[in-house]
Amino acid sequence: MSAIDSLPPLREVIAAQGLSARKALGQNFLLDLNLTAKIARQAGDLTACDVLEVGPGPGGLTRGLLSEGARHLVAVEKDPRCLPALAEIAETYPGRLTVLEGDALSLDPFAHLAPPVRIVANLPYNVGTELLVRWLTPPDWPPRWLSLTLMFQREVAQRITAAPGSKAYGRLALLAQWRCDARIVMDLPPQAFTPPPKVSSAVVHLDALPAPRYPADPGMLERVVATAFNQRRKMLRSSLKGLAPDIEAHLEAAGIAPTDRAEQIDLERFCALTRSLTELL
Ligand code: SAM
């Protein structure tokens, strides 16, 4: 563990604060500061950005983000036991770290952030997908953030970046890739964490596109994709028949064979189908 700052090593911080990891809070900590600085670098240049971190815990990634130059970091943590360790980090980086105690699912941190904003987090697995979907579906696009650099279970990372025809391809891939460039930038084995989780992890980086890749009404696209993948093994003329009486004509207008299945259809054709169905309503 190298000294990227003048603070004590994380193992000492955890022992001194009695931060035994709690499973219910998804606590698998990163203690290697070389690794957390490397994750921070995947987010791009932080020096001209505010950064939002969800779930800083004892502050390993927080320290990486600050040492990599984050202009101002807002960290949202639910576990009050972590606050003294985070306060110590804030003292080492005067004026650059704001800690908000609370649940990231109910708290709006954007009032504390100035654009441009990058979001970087080793997310608690139990809330990670829900937060990602919220960040991907704001009322307006472009969103209030420039990029997301997020740790997920490897299987979830694969679902976000999947291509048509693969098992992992579905709602998450389409939602993410419609309005972002998404790619896996790091793989981490369970042993990188303390305690080690049961599964491997991966960091996904998503850059927000200035506009969606293809035009489509967001609510209708979401509905079409959710309905199609709800019964992913069925032919689309059957799984989507509830959306319009003449669904076969809409599928054909979008260049989709009525006998195709959801996992064969790329984003461009899902958007064409959504447009065809929206003209109807
Ligand atoms: N960032 C730290 C690291 O990399 O070592 C900790 C990551 S740990 C996987 C997830 C963190 O999220 C824990 O500190 C946990 O207390 C916090 N957490 C869990 N649920 C949360 C929620 N709903 N809102 C904010 N933080 C939460």
Side-chain angles (χ1 to χ4, degrees):
M1 207 177 294
S2 69
I4 62 167
D5 52 38
S6 57
L7 290 156
L10 277 159
R11 272 187 207 287
E12 282 177 25
V13 173
I14 284 173
Q17 306 290 342
L19 288 175
S20 52
R22 294 206 174 137
K23 220 177 169 179
L25 286 167
Q27 292 183 335
N28 302 98
F29 300 133
L30 290 168
L31 304 186
D32 178 347
L33 295 173
N34 287 316
L35 185 58
T36 61
K38 190 173 169 193
I39 295 169
R41 286 195 292 276
Q42 306 304 317
D45 183 11
L46 301 178
T47 55
C49 294
D50 276 14
V51 177
L52 170 62
E53 184 190 2
V54 175
L61 183 55
T62 317
R63 288 163 64 171
L65 290 163
L66 289 164
S67 74
E68 288 301 314
R71 180 178 69 186
H72 176 218
L73 174 58
V74 174
V76 181
E77 175 56 58
K78 194 174 174 180
D79 185 351
R81 296 180 308 151
C82 298
L83 299 182
L86 296 169
E88 225 184 315
I89 302 172
E91 267 173 43
T92 305
Y93 293 95
R96 288 177 56 202
L97 173 61
T98 302
V99 179
L100 305 176
E101 183 191 351
D103 186 339
L105 291 171
S106 50
L107 190 150
D108 180 8
F110 279 92
H112 300 268
L113 291 155
V117 173
R118 294 190 190 273
I119 300 180
V120 187
N122 174 13
L123 290 167
Y125 287 149
N126 48 352
V127 294
T129 313
E130 176 159 0
L131 281 172
L132 172 68
V133 170
R134 287 191 194 186
W135 288 327
L136 290 174
T137 54
D140 301 305
W141 200 267
R144 290 183 288 181
W145 48 267
L146 206 59
S147 66
L148 308 172
T149 307
L150 308 172
M151 181 89 69
F152 287 102
Q153 299 181 40
R154 188 160 164 76
E155 182 233 313
V156 176
Q158 284 167 334
R159 280 167 45 209
I160 297 166
T161 54
S166 66
K167 256 195 177 156
Y169 184 63
R171 176 174 169 256
L172 217 44
L174 286 155
L175 198 61
Q177 296 171 32
W178 182 42
R179 300 200 274 201
C180 297
D181 277 327
R183 61 188 200 282
I184 293 178
V185 292
M186 270 174 85
D187 284 307
L188 287 96
Q191 303 80 328
F193 301 84
T194 306
K198 289 203 175 69
V199 293
S200 295
S201 302
V203 177
V204 180
H205 181 82
L206 301 103
D207 284 309
L209 298 172
R213 230 175 268 280
Y214 309 104
D217 174 74
M220 190 60 179
L221 177 63
E222 170 79 359
R223 195 171 150 208
V224 169
V225 168
T227 313
F229 282 96
N230 210 12
Q231 299 172 297
R232 62 186 293 142
R233 302 299 315 147
K234 278 199 171 176
M235 292 179 190
L236 288 166
R237 70 173 172 214
S238 153
S239 57
L240 295 183
K241 67 172 185 271
L243 291 182
D246 51 347
I247 189 66
E248 294 208 12
H250 289 285
L251 288 164
E252 274 161 9
I256 300 170
T259 51
D260 280 348
R261 291 171 170 81
E263 63 189 33
Q264 299 167 262
I265 308 305
D266 61 16
L267 174 63
E268 185 170 11
R269 285 184 294 158
F270 266 117
C271 290
L273 176 61
T274 301
R275 288 196 303 276
S276 174
L277 286 163
T278 313
E279 274 162 27
L280 235 203
L281 304 177

